[in-house]
Amino acid sequence: MSILTKEKLKKTVTSPSRIAIIVAVVLIVASIVRRITGADDITSAGATGATLRFTIPLLMAGLGGLWAERSGVINIGLEGMMIAGTWLGAWFGFLHGPLVGFICAAIGGALIGLFHGFLVVKIGIDQAVSGLAINLLALGTARYLSSIYFAPNGGDISLSPQVKQPGVFSVPILSSFLADLNAKNIIVISDAAGILGGFVTEVSYATVLLFLLVPISTWLLWRTRFGLRLRFCGENPVAAESLGVKVFRTRYIALAISGMFASLGGAYLCMVSASVYREGQTAGRGFIGLATVIFGNWRPTGVLAGSFLFGFTDALRVRQSTSVHAILLVIVILGLLFAMWKLFQRNYKVFGISALSSLIVGVIFLKVPKIPDEFVTFFPNLATILVLVLLAQKLRPPAMLAVPYREREEGH
Amino acid sequence: MASAVEIKGIEKKYPGVVANHNVTLTVQKGHIHAIIGENGAGKSTLMKILYGMVRPDSGTISIDGKDVVLKSPHDSIALGVGMVHQHFMLADNATVLENVILGSEPVSFGGVIQHTAARDKLIEITEKYGLDIDPDQNVAELSVGERQRVEISKVLFRGAQILILDEPTAVLVPQEVDELFSNLKDLTAHGLTIIFISHKLDEVLAIADAITVMRTGTTVASVDPKSATKKQLAELMVGRELPKRREVSTQPSNKKVLEIENASYSAPDGREILHEISLAIHAGEIVGLAGVEGNGQSELIELIMGLVKTSGGTVSILDEDIAEMSSRKIRDSGVGYIPQDRQRDALLMSAPLWENRILGHQSTQPMSNGLWINKGNAQKDSERLVKEFDVRTPSINVMAGALSGGNQQKFIVGRELSGDPHLLIAAQPTRGVDVGAQALIWNYLIEARVAGMAILLISADLDELFNLSDRLAVISGGRIVAILDPEKTTSEELGLAMTGEKIA
């Protein structure tokens, strides 16, 4: 029974035609809603671009969390590592340009990751305690260093001088073609063009390079010997060690990568999403990164999906508040479609739940003229909780996540 | 033909215990060689030595006719010795293939795993030896029998010629046992050698080409399974001389303290672990529960302590049915409990001794008034335990984890005897403690018995069982198969009962 449903799930997720259908449905619904509500921003190139800029920092924190957790260590310190990344990126970016900024952030993040490793792997401090310590330490250190380095250079204790942004590019022909198409206002097609346009117009080089870390992570973790061993450190370190895997060393490397990724996310935040370091700039993105790991079922593509969800709502919030209202209608329609599909499958329980919740959202859409910003920010968190509750049976966290491991001593 | 393994004069001492003494073993190539013996007979130590996990103090090992020194499992694997552990070393959240290749992955340049090559090699192995597993399945979806085949494939993948299987049938259902045996026959037909650890006589006689019996750390006999009988093996395992019972002046009374009637218990997965157990213990009586470990002893204890619920029958203490009682109620009604794993179940290792004194008495006088704990009484009584039970500790404020195993155990015994319980469940009360502490703990138990306590003693140590028990109940396969009088029982009777023979 359980195996059967698992296979079903696999097919649903992996079948390309199904994904295509889902994408098409979402697009059509979004397109219709745009016409009805006049919230043009929901399928514009600008919204996609903003979504990307908000997604990448979360994605980097999420991938950082993924690497650590796959090796069996929880990295609560992601937030602190991101803070380090924003500071290092801003300072060295200010001095030597964005490239050096990114490189220094990567090195600094890796070192903090190793420090976390030293605390939890070698000394055996509780993983959450060590992570929290790193967060506090990063916060205080950044402020302290800002007063020394930023203040005399045109910034102040909570603000850096202006940092040059890395270069951007637009894909020739394609970019302008999609823009034209979007302007023609043909139903569905223009919407698709708008969304795609955001991916090829004025994209930062940094966005592309960091985005590539998703397939690279997947490839390293699932195709190489190193990745296999790393995953076994998270699943069954005793077995791994009995087969000659150096658990401690592997976890050190995983945490260095984790810190490096989170820190790169921070550097992106201050050099691409903004062009200045501001205290509190990370705004809890490290923790949201942890949530995307859960949301993404400990897989890089899943983390990417989770980051998009959070990044999209972030982007909506800063652009047009009418969009938020329009999105509600999208949710209502998609929810009803889903409910009908379940009815067709005779899954009455899920039908009832989704129909009822769609109707509730529908009532909100009709009765509430403006959704408070706070709720918009909160929505992805709600989605993560829903995923946790509804899919708990299907989530597959590393079996030995956060369980301290001692290497066997010599001679036993 | 050279023998696959030849072991001579192996000695291994641990502090206070001789695990292996003058062990001699010859295993022929292509044989299934069974090593049988009770718990604690030294089988596991010997196999760990052969697999390089433990280094012997003296003695020689030769593999395929060559003398070898095994410093680590790495050395053994290189010499073609592989171990199939009783507790599987697998990751659920990974595929069969990933589990098999871990640690010896075929890789191309840059550490990229050659999945196709690895997969082909695994399929070749599984087809050659008839091991039915799917390389791409997740281990989480596999049955126990399949998991075991994964473990065997893992060893074969590394090129093992000699396989050590540590009680491979302990975790299997009968049908899986048959499959395993046919796999093992296949393996030996291809020239591989198998060393098979077991204590189930039927199985051993059915499958083995040669049998070596171990007892109290040494090899006592090599037997040909064609001519051997179960009776013979049972006697060899238990030994001709049984320990003598200690003289005790008082007789048990007629008052039933614990009464178990037709109690059954099924695990959450539906397997029946205990089958219609009936047993009564009277005031002033020690009943020893003998049996090979894993035959339902732990579950029986958990049933009495209210940690699991019966699926049939009743358990009552002083004529009161405990079915609806919580563990705390059961304890408060006068039951002491010495768990078999003291560090896990009996102590808070990083709490001071006096806090540990309160455990289990946290809701009753004098340790507590039901709301607040009484620190003063706890400390005073801890001092008493330290003195009366000879717990060697600098103070009652040190962490329980800082004490030696023997002193921890004396403290636990003292605590559980406090408050005058009517019934004491003592599970492996002297496991892993030194001889001095053992003698003391035995004395405390006998004193408690003389004072009128009813004691259920669960032990793997025959000395302990025979020394202390008024009656012996033998458990096998979740059933009480015999009630024996320790003064009249023969070693043959006990051995047969423990290995699952019903005695009329």
Side-chain angles (χ1 to χ4, degrees):
Chain A
M1 176 65 201
S2 70
I3 291 169
L4 222 140
T5 50
K6 242 180 237 162
E7 272 171 4
K8 248 191 197 164
L9 183 84
K10 250 187 214 162
K11 274 183 196 144
T12 319
V13 174
T14 51
S15 145
S17 61
R18 245 177 232 233
I19 292 176
I21 292 172
I22 291 171
V23 169
V25 169
V26 173
L27 208 58
I28 293 167
V29 172
S31 170
I32 296 168
V33 168
R34 184 176 65 89
R35 301 224 151 192
I36 299 174
T37 61
D40 285 334
D41 205 36
I42 57 175
T43 61
S44 76
T48 314
T51 301
L52 266 184
R53 280 194 295 282
F54 281 106
T55 299
I56 295 289
L58 297 173
L59 175 67
M60 295 313 295
L63 285 181
L66 176 104
W67 273 87
E69 295 195 11
R70 276 287 177 181
S71 83
V73 181
I74 281 195
N75 189 355
I76 308 272
L78 284 172
E79 177 77 7
M81 295 168 185
M82 281 191 99
I83 294 175
T86 53
W87 197 93
L88 290 167
W91 178 241
F92 289 99
F94 166 71
L95 289 180
H96 306 289
L99 182 64
V100 179
F102 272 105
I103 291 172
C104 289
I107 294 170
L111 289 176
I112 301 177
L114 286 175
F115 178 60
H116 183 49
F118 174 73
L119 291 180
V120 304
V121 175
K122 182 81 181 173
I123 298 187
I125 289 176
D126 186 274
Q127 298 181 358
V129 172
S130 164
L132 286 174
I134 285 174
N135 288 339
L136 293 173
L137 200 64
L139 199 65
T141 312
R143 192 175 171 80
Y144 173 65
L145 292 178
S146 299
S147 71
I148 298 176
Y149 291 102
F150 289 165
N153 287 294
D156 64 36
I157 193 162
S158 63
L159 197 72
S160 78
Q162 282 288 316
V163 185
K164 198 167 158 277
Q165 290 192 316
V168 296
F169 69 96
S170 296
V171 179
I173 307 169
L174 190 59
S175 170
S176 52
F177 171 71
L178 288 173
D180 290 345
L181 209 54
N182 187 26
K184 285 196 179 125
N185 208 2
I186 312 165
I187 192 155
V188 183
I189 294 184
S190 287
D191 296 294
I195 291 171
L196 285 176
F199 287 101
V200 292
T201 311
E202 291 191 2
V203 184
S204 172
Y205 288 106
T207 305
V208 177
L209 288 176
L210 294 186
F211 198 84
L212 283 179
L213 291 173
V214 177
I216 291 175
S217 292
T218 305
W219 183 79
L220 278 173
L221 283 170
W222 274 273
R223 286 280 168 264
T224 68
R225 172 171 61 188
F226 166 68
L228 178 70
R229 292 181 173 193
L230 188 143
R231 283 186 293 126
F232 266 76
C233 290
E235 298 292 344
N236 192 341
V238 179
E241 198 189 322
S242 79
L243 296 169
V245 177
K246 301 255 184 279
V247 176
F248 275 24
R249 197 171 68 191
T250 311
R251 286 189 170 174
Y252 271 121
I253 297 172
L255 286 170
I257 294 174
S258 173
M260 182 191 293
F261 281 16
S263 184
L264 281 172
Y268 184 94
L269 208 52
C270 76
M271 286 191 284
V272 183
S273 307
S275 57
V276 71
Y277 161 90
R278 221 179 302 110
E279 196 175 58
Q281 198 168 20
T282 54
R285 286 190 173 80
F287 296 108
I288 295 174
L290 282 177
T292 65
V293 178
I294 299 168
F295 183 90
N297 197 11
W298 288 265
R299 288 180 177 271
T301 44
V303 170
L304 177 63
S307 310
F308 261 125
L309 182 66
F310 281 91
F312 181 59
T313 44
D314 253 3
L316 280 184
R317 193 170 44 89
V318 297
R319 288 178 67 90
Q320 261 188 17
S321 53
T322 49
S323 302
V324 178
H325 201 225
I327 290 292
L328 281 186
L329 189 57
V330 177
I331 292 172
V332 173
I333 297 174
L334 288 178
L336 288 175
L337 285 175
F338 181 73
M340 276 155 69
W341 181 47
K342 284 293 157 190
L343 182 66
F344 176 68
Q345 286 187 336
R346 289 163 199 275
N347 189 341
Y348 298 113
K349 199 170 143 201
V350 178
F351 160 74
I353 294 172
S354 41
L356 188 69
S357 27
S358 308
L359 287 178
I360 292 173
V361 178
V363 170
I364 296 174
F365 172 75
L366 293 175
K367 295 282 171 196
V368 185
K370 184 182 181 306
I371 304 299
D373 281 354
E374 289 78 5
F375 182 78
V376 181
T377 333
F378 168 69
F379 172 72
N381 302 61
L382 183 68
T384 305
I385 294 171
L386 286 178
V387 166
L388 262 178
V389 173
L390 297 177
L391 297 180
Q393 297 295 314
K394 297 189 174 122
L395 290 178
R396 294 205 149 277
M400 287 294 135
L401 181 58
V403 179
Y405 178 70
R406 305 273 63 171
E407 257 175 4
R408 267 188 296 171
E409 280 155 44
E410 295 297 316
H412 274 274
Chain B
M1 190 166 64
S3 36
V5 176
E6 206 166 342
I7 289 174
K8 274 191 201 138
I10 289 281
E11 300 268 345
K12 179 69 196 175
K13 287 196 187 81
Y14 289 113
V17 221
V18 181
N20 271 181
H21 168 67
N22 195 20
V23 171
T24 303
L25 174 69
T26 307
V27 180
Q28 295 298 327
K29 203 169 157 48
H31 267 190
I32 297 178
H33 193 117
I35 297 179
I36 62 169
E38 270 197 273
N39 294 107
K43 299 168 299 195
S44 292
T45 306
L46 178 61
M47 290 307 113
K48 281 181 187 161
I49 289 172
L50 182 56
Y51 188 53
M53 286 165 78
V54 170
R55 296 191 67 178
D57 299 333
S58 62
T60 60
I61 301 170
S62 68
I63 290 172
D64 290 328
K66 272 176 289 193
D67 279 5
V68 293
V69 178
L70 305 169
K71 291 194 188 111
S72 73
H74 205 76
D75 294 348
S76 313
I77 293 168
L79 288 161
V81 179
M83 170 93 114
V84 176
H85 297 275
Q86 185 183 358
H87 302 287
F88 302 143
M89 300 269 224
L90 299 173
D92 278 5
N93 202 0
T95 65
V96 168
L97 181 64
E98 287 173 333
N99 271 284
V100 168
I101 64 175
L102 180 73
S104 47
E105 309 87 348
V107 289
S108 51
F109 180 74
V112 183
I113 295 173
Q114 296 173 313
H115 266 277
T116 327
R119 205 165 168 280
D120 290 348
K121 185 176 167 191
L122 175 59
I123 289 174
E124 191 192 315
I125 288 169
T126 52
E127 279 178 359
K128 182 172 171 189
Y129 300 115
L131 298 161
D132 179 23
I133 43 171
D134 173 2
D136 303 319
Q137 226 177 341
N138 254 348
V139 167
E141 293 161 11
L142 302 185
S143 70
V144 177
E146 287 171 312
R147 281 166 201 242
Q148 192 168 53
R149 291 200 283 276
V150 177
E151 283 283 4
I152 294 172
S153 312
K154 216 160 112 178
V155 172
L156 295 172
F157 192 86
R158 286 161 175 73
Q161 293 296 309
I162 300 164
L163 273 71
I164 305 168
L165 285 89
D166 187 4
E167 302 202 14
T169 59
V171 289
L172 301 179
V173 298
Q175 191 205 341
E176 290 174 325
V177 171
D178 293 342
E179 278 177 63
L180 172 70
F181 284 179
S182 97
N183 287 150
L184 295 185
K185 296 263 191 213
D186 267 356
L187 291 171
T188 48
H190 283 87
L192 273 65
T193 307
I194 288 168
I195 302 175
F196 179 101
I197 302 179
S198 181
H199 45 63
K200 295 185 183 163
L201 302 182
D202 282 319
E203 286 176 12
V204 164
L205 286 171
I207 182 116
D209 299 307
I211 299 173
T212 298
V213 185
M214 287 190 77
R215 188 174 71 229
T216 57
T218 186
T219 43
V220 289
S222 286
V223 191
D224 182 355
K226 289 191 198 76
S227 57
T229 64
K230 265 166 89 171
K231 272 188 178 181
Q232 230 180 331
L233 291 179
E235 196 179 281
L236 282 167
M237 269 170 71
V238 177
R240 217 169 287 274
E241 290 284 307
L242 288 173
K244 280 279 166 290
R245 180 168 143 72
R246 192 183 294 208
E247 295 292 320
V248 189
S249 53
T250 61
Q251 289 297 315
S253 79
N254 289 327
K255 190 172 101 181
K256 277 181 188 167
V257 176
L258 173 72
E259 187 164 22
I260 306 173
E261 276 178 301
N262 298 320
S264 298
Y265 168 68
S266 295
D269 62 10
R271 279 178 309 135
E272 191 177 54
I273 308 280
L274 295 175
H275 181 80
E276 294 186 0
I277 299 261
S278 292
L279 184 66
I281 305 179
H282 304 86
E285 180 184 42
I286 298 180
V287 173
L289 189 66
V292 172
E293 259 171 72
N295 273 287
Q297 291 95 325
S298 308
E299 289 79 4
L300 183 59
I301 299 169
E302 289 177 357
L303 212 59
I304 299 170
M305 292 311 299
L307 297 168
V308 298
K309 296 287 169 214
T310 51
S311 51
T314 57
V315 179
S316 38
I317 293 169
L318 292 173
D319 292 327
E320 202 176 340
D321 190 346
I322 64 160
E324 296 305 319
M325 285 161 85
S326 64
S327 296
R328 198 185 88 185
K329 273 267 171 58
I330 292 170
R331 282 197 68 110
D332 289 354
S333 71
V335 180
Y337 172 35
I338 303 170
Q340 42 190 343
D341 185 342
R342 61 177 158 266
Q343 303 203 337
R344 207 190 72 179
D345 296 333
L347 292 174
L348 298 174
M349 302 303 278
S350 52
L353 273 187
W354 69 264
E355 282 187 16
N356 274 288
R357 168 63 187 88
I358 302 169
L359 292 186
H361 303 107
Q362 67 274 22
S363 51
T364 47
Q365 293 284 0
M367 289 301 126
S368 129
N369 62 15
L371 180 62
W372 305 102
I373 57 162
N374 191 328
K375 185 174 171 181
N377 282 352
Q379 290 183 325
K380 216 175 354 165
D381 205 59
S382 301
E383 298 281 9
R384 175 186 68 85
L385 290 186
V386 166
K387 218 173 288 155
E388 276 183 28
F389 289 85
D390 189 34
V391 182
R392 310 273 167 82
T393 170
S395 102
I396 58 159
N397 295 314
V398 301
M399 303 293 147
L403 270 59
S404 73
N407 284 308
Q408 287 173 356
Q409 192 70 356
K410 282 186 280 186
F411 188 82
I412 296 165
V413 171
R415 180 181 75 195
E416 296 306 322
L417 291 174
S418 302
D420 296 318
H422 310 292
L423 173 67
L424 178 72
I425 312 291
Q428 318 289 357
T430 61
R431 172 174 285 178
V433 308
D434 58 87
V435 185
Q438 182 183 51
L440 279 172
I441 291 170
W442 285 2
N443 277 338
Y444 300 139
L445 294 180
I446 287 177
E447 278 169 23
R449 171 207 176 281
V450 171
M453 200 181 290
I455 298 177
L456 176 62
L457 171 72
I458 297 97
S459 182
D461 177 353
L462 287 187
D463 268 335
E464 184 161 85
L465 288 170
F466 275 83
N467 246 302
L468 303 181
S469 306
D470 294 291
R471 285 186 297 149
L472 283 174
V474 186
I475 190 168
S476 173
R479 295 157 198 262
I480 299 285
V481 289
I483 301 279
L484 304 171
D485 180 342
E487 285 175 31
K488 293 179 192 139
T489 303
T490 65
S491 60
E492 188 187 293
E493 274 174 336
L494 180 66
L496 283 175
M498 284 173 62
T499 51
E501 292 297 295
K502 194 114 186 167
I503 294 175

